[in-house]
Amino acid sequence: MALSPADVRAAFPDARGYVAACTAGIPTRATRAAVREDLDALPDPVRYAAVAERCRASFADLVGVAAESVALGAQTSAMVSLLAASLPDDAVVLCPDGEFSSLVLPFVHAGRGITVRTVPLEALAASIEPSDTMVAFSIVQSATGAVADADAIVAAARAHGVRTLCDATQAIGWMPVAAGAFDALVCHAYKWLCAPRGVAFLALSEDLAATIMPRQAGWYAGSDPWASCYGTAATLAASARRFDVSPAWQAFVGAEPALALFADADATALRDEVTGLAAALRERLDLPQPARATPIVTWRDGDGADVVRLREAGIVASSRAGNARVALHVFNDLRDVDDIALTLGR
């Protein structure tokens, strides 16, 4: 039976006042214990490799694909750069206005005549043209928490023969996401999945993977990594493992229990739980409810005064693009909603 939100919440220490999962998640008790235990153990690359493979499997379960289609990395920008380097010369990439830099800058600076054009998020699907090569978007926008109409974007892209790249960093961990809907999906796990920073994933469709050169191949990309440590004759993995970089061992040790926790959770129930908290906060703050529910609550705070007030009250929020930004995750509850509203005089 899938874990309920209450089950998942019980895996965390009391986090009252921390409402910034969109900046970085907090570690579970099991993650803390795993990292401490690893610090007391002798380094063992074979053990670390097994940990990394279990992380790959948990992420694959989370997004509904086979583990063979998932590559391991450390940052989304590096994985997007791999995709950008494999686009044809003079490619056109369509992105939302104000998209997170790690998703757009690899294309902006790819050279070879590649251009990036942007449109408002709500117009993304309608703006896809046959002359576009790829549409790249975050399913949940970092600056505002807005949720993209992924179904409409994917349908329009397929109708025009355009590739899709989805950044799910601000989504996976609170909402169900099916990686198979996209040609490529990237996710850094240190936010809503509450893993240590340095654990990222790239899920690829088989036909897109066939077009990508393994430009960052190292020993861990070999079909047998332990036989790929020296020389030029190594055979790369036939699966998406050929796009792996060598995992940051300690980060993956901490990530393993967190990824397993969310892979075992009822993703729909988690979504309902956290978006319900956010809806309650918007009601208290007299903010409009979005068309598509999101646990990220933002409002204009150009001088940052509201975020300062929250922090002075011991509430950790964030400020992005002139917005005050609050993220309500499974380790939060209605006490946080009350604390925020009372601090802001609502």
Side-chain angles (χ1 to χ4, degrees):
M1 178 180 294
L3 298 177
S4 70
D7 295 329
V8 179
R9 183 178 299 111
F12 289 91
D14 183 20
R16 184 174 182 177
Y18 187 83
V19 289
C22 52
T23 300
I26 64 169
T28 66
R29 292 188 180 90
T31 286
R32 295 166 187 260
V35 172
R36 291 191 183 105
E37 182 179 343
D38 180 69
L39 291 174
D40 291 332
L42 295 175
D44 182 351
V46 174
R47 175 172 61 87
Y48 289 143
V51 168
E53 292 311 311
R54 290 194 292 271
C55 288
R56 190 197 312 268
S58 287
F59 183 79
D61 286 345
L62 268 164
V63 297
V65 297
E68 290 74 19
S69 67
V70 175
L72 305 181
Q75 299 90 22
T76 55
S77 58
M79 292 175 150
V80 174
S81 294
L82 180 67
L83 301 178
S86 297
L87 290 182
D89 294 350
D90 302 318
V92 178
V93 180
L94 176 65
C95 299
D97 293 338
E99 181 57 85
F100 194 70
S101 296
S102 293
L103 187 60
V104 296
L105 291 185
F107 297 111
V108 170
H109 296 287
R112 298 182 292 108
I114 292 176
T115 59
V116 175
R117 66 185 189 93
T118 68
V119 298
L121 177 66
E122 59 271 17
L124 195 61
S127 300
I128 298 172
E129 300 174 353
S131 57
D132 295 325
T133 310
M134 176 175 280
V135 55
F137 67 100
S138 294
I139 195 168
V140 179
Q141 292 290 298
S142 173
T144 64
V147 178
D149 188 348
D151 290 343
I153 294 166
V154 168
R158 286 179 177 169
H160 293 299
V162 175
R163 296 284 195 185
T164 53
L165 165 59
C166 173
D167 185 339
T169 299
Q170 292 286 5
I172 299 174
W174 73 263
M175 70 178 290
V177 178
F182 312 100
D183 293 296
L185 177 143
V186 292
C187 178
H188 201 151
Y190 76 103
K191 295 181 182 286
W192 296 88
L193 287 169
C194 300
R197 185 169 169 84
V199 177
F201 301 93
L202 168 64
L204 290 167
S205 67
E206 188 173 346
D207 60 328
L208 178 59
T211 72
I212 300 172
M213 296 293 293
R215 297 173 185 270
Q216 55 192 17
W219 72 278
Y220 205 77
S223 58
D224 177 0
W226 308 109
S228 304
C229 296
Y230 306 102
T232 62
T235 300
L236 296 186
S239 68
R241 279 194 50 250
R242 66 187 181 276
F243 306 118
D244 282 2
V245 296
S246 179
W249 299 130
Q250 289 76 20
F252 276 78
V253 165
E256 182 184 0
L259 293 168
L261 174 71
F262 284 99
D264 288 342
D266 183 332
T268 300
L270 280 183
R271 178 196 63 199
D272 294 345
E273 175 85 3
V274 299
T275 57
L277 289 173
L281 178 59
R282 290 189 196 93
E283 185 174 349
R284 292 286 298 272
L285 300 183
D286 196 25
L287 296 172
Q289 300 291 348
R292 283 178 286 278
T294 172
I296 301 176
V297 180
T298 63
W299 63 92
R300 293 306 297 170
D301 184 34
D303 60 2
D306 283 351
V307 171
V308 169
R309 290 168 65 190
L310 292 172
R311 286 185 173 266
E312 287 176 345
I315 300 169
V316 181
S318 56
S319 182
R320 294 291 186 276
N323 295 325
R325 189 178 64 160
V326 165
L328 293 156
H329 202 3
V330 67
F331 47 71
N332 299 119
D333 56 36
L334 285 172
R335 297 177 303 166
D336 295 295
V337 172
D338 290 339
D339 291 345
I340 294 165
L342 291 171
T343 299
L344 297 178
R346 303 293 177 86

